[in-house]
Amino acid sequence: MKLSSFGEKFAGDSGIVGLMDDLGNALRENPDMIMMGGGNPGRLPQMEAVFRRRLDAVLGDPPQRHRLFGRYQSPQGDHDFRACVAEFLSVQYGWKLGAGNIAIANGSQPAFFTLFNMLAGAMPGEHPPEHPGEPAGGSRRIHLPLTPEYLGYADAGLTEGFFSATRPAIDLLDDHLFKYRVDFGRLELDGGVAALCVSRPTNPTGNVLTDDEVAHLDHLARERGIPLIIDGAYGAPFPNIQFTAARPHWNENTILVLSLSKLGLPGVRTGIVVAREEIAHAFANANGILSLASGNLGPAVTLELFRTGEILDLAREVVQPFYQARARAALDEFRERLAGLPFRIHQPEGAFFLWLWFEGLPIGSQVLYQRLKQRGVLVVPGHHCFFGLDDDWPHRHECIRVSYVQDEEAVRRGIGLIAEEVARAYGAIIPRRSGLQESSP
């Protein structure tokens, strides 16, 4: 089969494809595999009961049922749902939004594919320079002010050199913690940057950019006439998997992307783009070509939750406390199991991952990943998340991402196996609950 350049890029191997293949195949290969690598949310019975109640209401009403199953929506998405989301966000944060500022996508992953390639990549030949240093025609790129970033972005560009990134500053904290910060002294933006993009809370690290960092990035973006894209898939107001104070940010120069997935609805594939009308309309046009229309299930199930504000209560009172308790338990377990080893964990501020840094790790994160997979634990090797960074920074090969949302006992067993393999890599002796013994070869 002869593939096009597009085919060679998108039908080939990539970090996100490898991760999803592992997620899909791991349990078939090993039914006892401890799944600490993926992005599936935890099961919250209270949330499932709410979704079932709403779905029963929709299915029990013939007009709503027909609207769910029997109609295409416009490429921008169901108007009533968009108007409801716009009103909800306006009431919560004072943003001046209407239905025209909202566009719906079949998940935030395709939303980012469309947004990124609308803004960056190959530029029209007649494109005049807008800023000093910007080429006429040529190509532009998405810049990540803070790396590591979500590996699902990494292969979304249609051209080479699609991303650039700035190495972070690192604050070393007490109790084996650390925190990444945007290094504004190192951040350089030339005319080839089409947009800035950050996730907040950050996947993979659980970092939450401070309000000051976001304000500074917004200032830089406005100064250069480029948008600031914020991925709020884990953030406030929903699903609110955020453990530190941080106010959501939007203005007409910001593109905010939200999602229903981490609320407990990953299967409905609903992404929500919040942008000025010009951008939302352009996105909808592209969405019409790529997807024809967006799915109806997510909007149907959650419309009344937005209308009544119940979604805010559920996020604050059910979702956020569940993940915060799990984060604390996993952090305590890692500290106990890794005692005596050179480890640090990114300060857990949101999302549902812990980001572990093993300084000077002799085998690198990819080999550690393979060894853990053989032992029955699936994690994410961290080097995939440093795309766009030109220098071969050793730190990028010393980190792994670990999800803590599985069954608590499975997570404890997984943490124990991770500790054993890390100790083996360092040639160390680690404490066991049954006493001190050398890790298995």
Side-chain angles (χ1 to χ4, degrees), residues 290-322:
L290 295 170
S291 301
L292 187 63
S294 298
N296 294 334
L297 183 56
V301 169
T302 59
L303 175 62
E304 286 302 312
L305 302 182
F306 281 104
R307 195 189 306 279
T308 64
E310 186 180 1
I311 195 168
L312 190 66
D313 297 332
L314 290 167
R316 182 176 55 239
E317 298 170 10
V318 179
V319 178
Q320 193 264 1
F322 170 84

Side-chain angles (χ1 to χ4, degrees), residues 226-260:
I226 59 176
L228 170 62
I229 306 171
I230 299 178
D231 182 347
Y234 294 88
F238 61 91
N240 196 32
I241 308 174
Q242 189 168 289
F243 316 142
T244 186
R247 186 169 178 79
H249 171 87
W250 185 83
N251 56 40
E252 290 219 335
N253 198 56
T254 300
I255 304 171
L256 175 63
V257 183
L258 304 170
S259 171
L260 299 183

Side-chain angles (χ1 to χ4, degrees), residues 28-179:
R28 188 180 71 249
E29 297 169 359
N30 178 1
D32 298 319
M33 182 72 75
I34 301 172
M35 306 290 283
M36 299 177 73
N40 274 326
R43 289 196 66 177
L44 281 71
Q46 190 170 341
M47 296 301 296
E48 291 183 354
V50 170
F51 299 144
R52 178 173 180 174
R53 184 192 78 216
R54 286 298 314 134
L55 186 57
D56 286 347
V58 170
L59 295 178
D61 181 71
Q64 288 189 73
R65 187 171 65 238
H66 176 67
R67 186 172 181 172
L68 169 61
F69 293 124
R71 289 186 185 174
Y72 288 122
Q73 297 298 331
S74 74
Q76 197 159 340
D78 179 87
H79 180 275
D80 290 350
F81 180 73
R82 291 188 292 111
C84 191
V85 171
E87 183 177 2
F88 170 82
L89 293 172
S90 298
V91 169
Q92 289 302 315
Y93 303 115
W95 300 341
K96 295 180 180 179
L97 298 172
N101 295 107
I102 310 295
I104 309 304
N106 290 315
S108 58
Q109 186 80 12
F112 278 102
F113 178 85
T114 300
L115 287 168
F116 286 160
N117 288 289
M118 277 172 48
L119 297 168
M123 305 303 290
E126 69 275 15
H127 173 68
E130 296 179 0
H131 306 285
E134 178 183 319
S139 64
R140 302 179 77 186
R141 63 190 185 279
I142 304 294
H143 188 78
L144 311 173
L146 187 74
T147 185
E149 255 294 0
Y150 172 47
L151 68 89
Y153 303 154
D155 296 291
L158 293 174
T159 58
E160 295 301 315
F162 194 84
F163 291 96
S164 56
T166 298
R167 187 196 292 195
I170 299 179
D171 291 346
L172 302 181
L173 309 175
D174 294 336
D175 298 325
H176 292 280
L177 297 177
F178 76 102
K179 178 176 171 60

Side-chain angles (χ1 to χ4, degrees), residues 360-436:
L361 182 67
I363 59 174
S365 60
Q366 179 64 27
V367 173
L368 177 60
Y369 159 77
Q370 294 291 350
R371 287 186 180 182
L372 288 171
K373 186 178 176 182
Q374 291 171 4
R375 295 291 304 277
V377 184
L378 208 60
V379 301
V380 172
H383 65 278
H384 289 302
C385 302
F386 289 89
F387 58 96
L389 195 63
D390 290 335
D391 57 335
D392 192 21
W393 186 25
H395 178 79
R396 67 198 300 174
H397 302 289
E398 299 172 344
C399 301
I400 60 172
R401 189 192 79 176
V402 177
S403 169
Y404 51 75
V405 303
Q406 247 203 315
D407 171 77
E408 290 179 277
E409 179 54 36
V411 170
R412 281 192 290 268
R413 286 189 285 112
I415 290 173
L417 291 169
I418 291 169
E420 288 183 19
E421 285 303 315
V422 171
R424 175 188 172 196
Y426 285 111
I429 295 175
I430 62 171
R432 302 286 186 85
R433 285 197 165 90
S434 58
L436 288 173

